[in-house]
Amino acid sequence: MAIATFFNRTVSLHNPVNATNNASCPGGDGIHYGGGGGDDGSSSGGGGGGDNAGDNNKKEALMVLAEAGRGVESLPGDLAAALDTGRIPGSVVTRYFELEKLALFRWLLQFGGFKERLLADDLFLAKVGIECGVGLFTKTAAEYQRRGEKFFEELEIVFADVVMAILADFMLVYLPAPTVSLRPALATNAGSLARFFYSCPDNAFQTALPGISYSFLQRMGSILRNGTKLFAVGTASSLVGTFVTNALINARKAVDNKSAEVENVPILSTSAAYGVYMAVSSNLRYQVLAGVIEQRMLEPLLHQHKFMLSAICFAVRTGNTYLGSLLWVDYARWIGIQ
């Protein structure tokens, strides 16, 4: 598949009846949702069908509302505004109705970031649970495999690595997750750089809604923007992890003279190194995982088989988490901080 086709592909519209019937399927009904905005920096997007696609989106969404016996005023303000401007098809409205039936989802839908991600992927919360739940075990196992007999001697370092990873796991799922963009357009006086990054999708590889397309530069901008955020997340989580680890080392030294030879973990160098690792390795792996493997490959094939899709996502994310742990240990030793 040509690069241009892969990056700018948009999905066809389903009729409103099918969207209503199928929106509860895991990973969507074959319609995959994009985030961000278009080439003009607004959230309405550019290309991919223009005004005609927007009109079709609006008609489809209004039909779903009518079938549900609800009015536009029953929707949250951002969702209603996106409907009015034709930025979302009826399947997104149907997904919203399905999600708000459950108390937990209804609560999470109050937060814009969660709302955009849940509307794009109804398995988003499950993926967060998979990542954080499996992370503790896979990262500890990877540390043991790499360190061997020194595992217990270097337990403080292992603890720091695991703490850093668990604190970052949530953001690794959250930031590169595909979204349905409900953000309003930027102010007209916004700078060109701000407008560019605002127009980038949340995942470089995610598919786009009808009426929206992303240029190659916008998709590359997504990698750069998320990399910057993950650098901050990785650095901050490492600061916490290494600070706690050094506190434990010092406490052990105070009660056990044999532990005097255990050195404190360098805080600044370790934190900076982990930030770089998150911005590069983790960023790229999770962008590919969420945008290519899950959204473009697994969901179209298994969207009618929820249990199988969840099981495969679990296996793939477990493998990715374990691989990340191995790469971090090798990287940390390569640059000399461990």
Side-chain angles (χ1 to χ4, degrees), residues 22-89:
N22 295 330
S24 60
C25 293
D29 55 358
I31 301 179
H32 304 298
Y33 309 118
D39 296 339
D40 61 356
S42 71
S43 56
S44 60
D51 294 337
N52 184 52
D55 290 341
N56 289 336
N57 286 344
K58 184 174 181 179
K59 291 177 181 178
E60 183 182 336
L62 289 174
M63 186 176 295
V64 171
L65 281 172
E67 291 177 354
R70 298 177 58 167
V72 177
E73 66 279 357
S74 68
L75 300 176
D78 53 358
L79 194 61
L83 184 154
D84 186 61
T85 54
R87 289 187 282 127
I88 57 172

Side-chain angles (χ1 to χ4, degrees), residues 94-293:
T94 302
R95 169 78 53 84
Y96 176 80
F97 289 160
E98 293 294 326
L99 289 170
E100 68 173 359
K101 292 178 182 178
L102 299 177
L104 176 59
F105 288 141
R106 188 163 58 248
W107 177 69
L108 289 174
L109 287 171
Q110 299 178 65
F111 306 98
F114 277 100
K115 184 192 302 178
E116 291 185 331
R117 285 160 177 79
L118 286 169
L119 290 176
D121 181 6
D122 57 358
L123 287 180
F124 169 72
L125 199 60
K127 292 171 183 177
V128 171
I130 290 171
E131 202 69 39
C132 295
V134 171
L136 173 64
F137 300 101
T138 57
K139 294 178 192 306
T140 303
E143 293 280 350
Y144 183 80
Q145 178 178 330
R146 286 299 192 200
R147 300 182 190 280
E149 296 179 355
K150 293 184 178 180
F151 178 82
F152 292 102
E153 297 177 10
E154 301 175 350
L155 199 57
E156 290 85 0
I157 298 177
V158 172
F159 180 81
D161 287 350
V162 173
V163 169
M164 287 187 291
I166 297 302
L167 290 175
D169 275 341
F170 171 77
M171 296 305 294
L172 283 171
V173 182
Y174 185 88
L175 288 178
T179 61
V180 172
S181 180
L182 302 177
R183 296 170 294 180
L186 277 179
T188 55
N189 60 350
S192 57
L193 188 61
R195 292 173 65 85
F196 169 73
F197 282 113
Y198 190 83
S199 72
C200 296
D202 286 289
N203 185 288
F205 305 101
Q206 72 179 62
T207 52
L209 285 170
I212 297 177
S213 64
Y214 301 110
S215 68
F216 181 80
L217 285 179
Q218 284 175 310
R219 293 187 180 275
M220 293 302 98
S222 172
I223 295 177
L224 179 60
R225 183 185 62 191
N226 279 354
T228 302
K229 293 179 180 179
L230 286 173
F231 174 81
V233 170
T235 302
S237 63
S238 180
L239 284 171
V240 174
T242 52
F243 177 81
V244 172
T245 298
N246 286 344
L248 291 175
I249 291 175
N250 292 330
R252 178 188 287 187
K253 289 179 179 178
V255 299
D256 184 6
N257 292 332
K258 294 181 180 180
S259 300
E261 60 185 25
V262 179
E263 299 181 357
N264 284 1
V265 179
I267 295 179
L268 294 181
S269 59
T270 300
S271 300
Y274 194 63
V276 171
Y277 171 80
M278 289 273 286
V280 180
S281 175
S282 298
N283 183 26
L284 292 175
R285 284 187 292 106
Y286 279 86
Q287 293 258 3
V288 172
L289 173 61
V292 179
I293 297 176

